[in-house]
Amino acid sequence: MRHDRGVCNLYTNKSTVQEMANLFRTPATYGFNAPADVYPQYPGIVVREDQGQRILQQMTWGFPRHSTNKRTGKPNKPTATNNARDDKLWTIWRQWFTDPAQRCLIPFTSFAEAEGEPGKMTRTWISVADQPLGAWAGLWRPTDEWGDAYTGVMVDATKELWDIHDRMPVILHPDAHDAWLRADAKEAIALVTQYPADRLTVERSSEPWFKKRS
């Protein structure tokens, strides 16, 4: 059963900082560990460019989104906009999408979608069969609330995945990493495409969708 949330709310990155540094050609000395499970408003690792050199950086997953309590009229605590729709890149995301310095790569080993009846949903994991560590196209910016934060770009899912979810992350081919981090917006938008379903691996699990976060 498809679960129409329109977003990705959980992914894993089971690689070490050293493995990411090797794969993405960044310096290898960092004072943090890579969290294996990444949830919105929690820390994750991204790859970005700084003065012409790639770096790994720990950031919060999700741009802060503010709302007002209808009953009290007071501001609520910010929530996370952890995905950016591809059809909004030229509008609400334009400020960051059109600036190559604000684009990033989000390393991941698999992302999760929820399947099943409400209250009984389980985690279905999707990974990239032809890449040991995938790169999800992302955007990042400084925030007052959480420091530097990032969001991942989403596109319509391929028809083969439609029974799981109607959206999927924009997974970049390795030879597109440089372009996403450096190219102008007209070249970068051409990279915002579906990853072939026959190069993805789907693994259904008995893990409950909602469980205690470690």
Side-chain angles (χ1 to χ4, degrees):
M1 178 181 294
R2 195 177 83 235
H3 187 48
D4 293 312
R5 287 175 293 105
V7 295
C8 176
N9 282 319
L10 169 63
Y11 70 91
T12 63
N13 180 356
K14 296 181 179 179
S15 58
T16 66
V17 172
Q18 182 65 62
E19 288 169 339
M20 284 187 284
N22 292 342
L23 182 63
F24 294 104
R25 306 192 309 276
T26 75
T29 303
Y30 296 96
F32 53 77
N33 294 317
D37 297 329
V38 186
Y39 298 88
Q41 291 183 244
Y42 281 68
I45 306 297
V46 305
V47 180
R48 68 178 183 88
E49 286 214 343
D50 183 31
Q51 298 181 347
Q53 178 175 292
R54 289 186 184 183
I55 61 170
L56 290 174
Q57 184 176 343
Q58 189 174 70
M59 298 185 185
T60 299
W61 185 19
F63 284 14
R65 179 176 64 245
H66 295 273
S67 63
T68 301
N69 187 299
K70 294 181 179 180
R71 183 174 60 84
T72 66
K74 295 181 179 180
N76 295 317
K77 290 183 178 180
T79 56
T81 302
N82 45 297
N83 297 158
R85 290 179 59 97
D86 61 315
D87 56 347
K88 303 293 186 182
L89 291 176
W90 294 109
T91 54
I92 63 175
W93 300 103
R94 182 184 183 92
Q95 177 181 352
W96 304 287
F97 170 65
T98 57
D99 183 357
Q102 301 306 132
R103 296 190 215 122
C104 61
L105 309 174
I106 306 169
F108 75 98
T109 48
S110 59
F111 62 92
E113 297 295 358
E115 285 195 286
E117 299 295 331
K120 299 180 180 179
M121 291 182 291
T122 55
R123 296 178 178 185
T124 293
W125 296 96
I126 301 173
S127 57
V128 187
D130 60 344
Q131 296 186 51
L133 182 64
W136 179 7
L139 309 172
W140 77 276
R141 70 174 177 89
T143 75
D144 293 332
E145 298 87 347
W146 303 327
D148 291 344
Y150 67 97
T151 189
V153 182
M154 301 287 282
V155 70
D156 286 342
T158 63
K159 62 181 181 181
E160 295 90 344
L161 299 179
W162 190 257
D163 62 322
I164 300 173
H165 207 288
D166 58 354
R167 306 284 288 173
M168 66 185 294
V170 173
I171 302 168
L172 297 169
H173 297 271
D175 59 5
H177 293 176
D178 279 340
W180 182 254
L181 295 176
R182 296 178 178 178
D184 63 28
K186 289 183 179 179
E187 184 177 345
I189 198 66
L191 305 176
V192 181
T193 59
Q194 299 166 327
Y195 204 77
D198 62 0
R199 295 166 71 176
L200 298 174
T201 300
V202 176
E203 181 180 353
R204 288 179 166 87
S205 77
S206 59
E207 295 177 274
W209 177 252
F210 295 105
K211 67 180 186 179
K212 186 177 181 180
R213 300 176 182 182
S214 58

